[in-house]
Amino acid sequence: MRQMKDSGIEWIGEIPQGWEVRKLKNLTSLRIEKLIGQNEFMYVGLEHIEPQTGKTISGYEPIYNFPGDTLKFFEKDVLFGKLRPYLSKVMACSTSGKCSSEFFVINPKDIYFKYLFYIAISKGFIDTVNGSTFGVKMPRAEWEFVSKISLPVPKTIEQQQIAEHLDKKCAEIDSVIKSKEKTNELLKEERQSIIYEAVTKGLNPNVPMKDSGIEWIGEIPQGWEVKKLKFLAEICNGQDYKKVQIEEGGFPVMGSGGEFARATENMYDKPSVLLWRKGTIDKPLYVDFPFWTVDTMYYTKINDLVNPKFFYFLCTNIEFKMYQYGSALPSMTQRDLNEIYFSIPEFEEQLHIVNYIEQKCSEIDKVITANNSIIERLKEYRQSTIYEAVTGKTELK
């Protein structure tokens, strides 16, 4: 068993005898050559896509999509995102190119680039950077701080061995994560298909059908009606929440991700479907408690002859892309929403359909939740594997 010693650095902990602790600035240099006005920079990828494979940058998912100065980078450089929400966006470059100036372009001098990459995506390093300077509008990491962070440094040959070990281990973990994510996507598609079939065709496959008169709806069961949204619910505007905001208590303020603040008043106290006016327009929300909602969102006062949950399931089938305007910030108008057609059964049948959908979707959601739990544990295991390796706590055979 290898002998360990205290590194003297909290985030690193113990390291093997023979390893050094050196500051980042003494192992690297920072490339700062700007290409002024050339803002058609090459996008680089999210660290969790496939950073460890060494594949070329082309095909990686964009993470920066705004104009600005660009920087040159070269093969075996390491890119590290400055913006605080993107601190874990790190890339080991397998080719030369250009990137946004919102990256540090780090040129390894006395450290193996793939080993530096793994240090840079380790939680301890990210947390250390995250504890540095904070700005007000767009907080950024500062090189003056980052360059002084101490790193665990073994001999070069061991750095390469650690990087190769992590390439293999992370690829194995990522493969399982991607498989689980793919399964979840298929389950979500199945879930939406169940909802669509139930709210447009009903539950009885043998019921006589008739032409709805609406192309995208097609045939509907005998006895069902086709109505525009404006005859099913009244669309109302949300309001700025800042005038009613409080720290705790009161009522939830609803946004695209659910509750994000509290308010002294509620805007509506009956079941409602929230539809986006701007932003994440294709994610209707169902609420059955008193709430306040933001001014970029509509809320609905649902007709007494329509079950609120059934109305929600109808809204999840809206082809929002057909109605949205604006490319930078997708938006929906009340006028367009009001003119959307739906097929509607009698109230009693709506209840049966809602019960069926909830039962079916509950079964699917349990599997999705279980998969998400596995994914989170795998991500934690991936981080632990990286940390243990780059600090020498895992002894490679």
Side-chain angles (χ1 to χ4, degrees), residues 307-326:
N307 177 269
K309 208 59 176 295
F310 185 84
F311 180 69
Y312 163 71
F313 289 134
L314 286 175
C315 289
T316 64
N317 286 303
I318 295 174
E319 292 287 340
F320 290 96
K321 289 182 180 179
M322 292 175 57
Y323 304 98
Q324 76 177 50
Y325 68 93

Side-chain angles (χ1 to χ4, degrees), residues 46-54 60 88-91 114 117-124 126 163 165-178 181 374-390 394:
L46 301 172
E47 65 90 4
H48 67 264
I49 293 180
E50 278 188 324
Q52 68 282 352
T53 62
Y60 275 67
S88 59
K89 307 305 181 285
V90 185
M91 185 166 182
K114 287 296 290 292
F117 161 77
Y118 280 113
I119 289 180
I121 64 172
S122 66
K123 186 175 185 299
I126 296 295
H165 166 75
L166 289 175
D167 282 349
K168 181 179 177 181
K169 293 293 292 183
C170 290
E172 292 171 355
I173 296 168
D174 289 347
S175 176
V176 181
I177 290 174
K178 288 180 182 179
E181 289 174 338
I374 293 171
I375 289 169
E376 286 307 307
R377 291 200 299 271
L378 285 168
K379 288 180 178 178
E380 290 171 4
Y381 174 58
R382 185 181 191 273
Q383 265 296 340
S384 174
T385 299
I386 292 170
Y387 172 77
E388 296 288 322
V390 299
T394 297

Side-chain angles (χ1 to χ4, degrees), residues 78-103:
V78 173
L79 307 183
F80 187 92
K82 296 179 186 179
L83 291 178
R84 217 158 279 288
Y86 302 110
L87 287 177
S88 59
K89 307 305 181 285
V90 185
M91 185 166 182
C93 301
S94 57
T95 186
S96 300
K98 54 184 180 176
C99 67
S100 166
S101 58
E102 292 300 339
F103 285 94

Side-chain angles (χ1 to χ4, degrees), residues 244-310:
V244 294
Q245 186 176 11
I246 52 175
E247 289 297 320
E248 57 184 28
F251 303 93
V253 179
M254 303 300 293
S256 62
E259 177 185 338
F260 71 96
R262 305 294 293 185
T264 56
E265 305 173 19
N266 71 76
M267 190 174 291
Y268 193 57
D269 60 0
K270 295 180 181 179
S272 179
V273 175
L274 310 183
L275 299 166
W276 279 91
R277 183 171 69 86
K278 290 184 177 181
T280 314
I281 61 170
D282 60 345
K283 297 288 188 292
L285 294 177
Y286 175 77
V287 290
D288 57 2
F289 45 79
F291 64 90
W292 186 282
T293 191
V294 292
D295 54 1
T296 54
M297 179 178 271
Y298 302 119
Y299 68 97
T300 53
K301 295 180 179 179
I302 302 167
N303 189 305
D304 289 339
L305 297 178
V306 182
N307 177 269
K309 208 59 176 295
F310 185 84

Side-chain angles (χ1 to χ4, degrees), residues 183-223:
T183 298
N184 278 357
E185 288 304 312
L186 293 173
L187 286 169
K188 289 175 184 178
E189 291 175 9
E190 180 184 351
R191 188 182 192 277
Q192 194 56 42
S193 176
I194 288 170
I195 294 171
Y196 174 79
E197 289 296 320
V199 299
T200 58
K201 310 299 179 187
L203 304 181
N204 183 359
N206 300 316
V207 71
M209 306 293 283
K210 65 179 181 181
D211 183 14
S212 68
I214 307 299
E215 183 178 356
W216 76 269
I217 295 178
E219 289 191 327
I220 61 174
Q222 292 281 358

